Amino acid sequence: MKIFKVLLCIAIFGLIVYSGIQLGRPYYRYYAFKTKVEDISRFEENADKILTTVMEQAQEIGIPITEADVAISGSKGRYAIETSWSETVNLFDIYEHTYNFQIEVGK
């Protein structure tokens, strides 16, 4: 009986860790992408190059956006970049949550 309790506690702990990781991944991607976009807005000087670099970073990190989702405004050396997207997390087909993210940098 004691072994069963230990195994049950380990299973519950494993489910909690797994759920935390699954629910935390979208936030990690958001903050990683936001940091990259902030750097891009500071250091790139060409709107076309900014769009290309933002899309490369989004693909590398796993952000589900297209070029139409990225808005770039401003002039040389001072660009504002805006984008938004949604991610849905599904835990064991029991719980599903959609996160909506928005980035506005350089304003």
Side-chain angles (χ1 to χ4, degrees):
M1 190 63 157
K2 187 173 185 170
I3 292 176
F4 177 73
K5 287 182 182 179
V6 170
L7 290 175
L8 183 62
C9 287
I10 291 172
I12 291 172
F13 179 73
L15 286 173
I16 291 170
V17 169
Y18 174 79
S19 299
I21 290 171
Q22 291 299 101
L23 293 171
R25 280 185 184 164
Y27 282 107
Y28 171 77
R29 284 193 291 269
Y30 166 75
Y31 287 114
F33 186 57
K34 183 176 181 181
T35 301
K36 300 273 186 178
V37 171
E38 287 171 346
D39 292 343
I40 291 167
S41 74
R42 275 190 224 119
F43 300 115
E44 293 292 341
E45 295 187 12
N46 180 325
D48 294 331
K49 178 70 174 160
I50 289 173
L51 181 59
T52 303
T53 308
V54 167
M55 293 309 299
E56 287 172 358
Q57 293 300 320
Q59 185 177 19
E60 182 181 307
I61 294 172
I63 303 294
I65 60 172
T66 63
E67 288 186 4
D69 298 326
V70 180
I72 301 171
S73 59
S75 59
K76 187 175 183 178
R78 196 147 168 101
Y79 288 99
I81 304 170
E82 296 181 40
T83 188
S84 62
W85 71 95
S86 296
E87 288 189 51
T88 301
V89 176
N90 186 337
L91 294 176
F92 308 110
D93 290 331
I94 297 172
Y95 177 76
E96 184 173 279
H97 184 73
T98 301
Y99 295 98
N100 298 306
F101 297 106
Q102 183 173 2
I103 293 177
E104 295 178 357
V105 298
K107 285 193 166 188

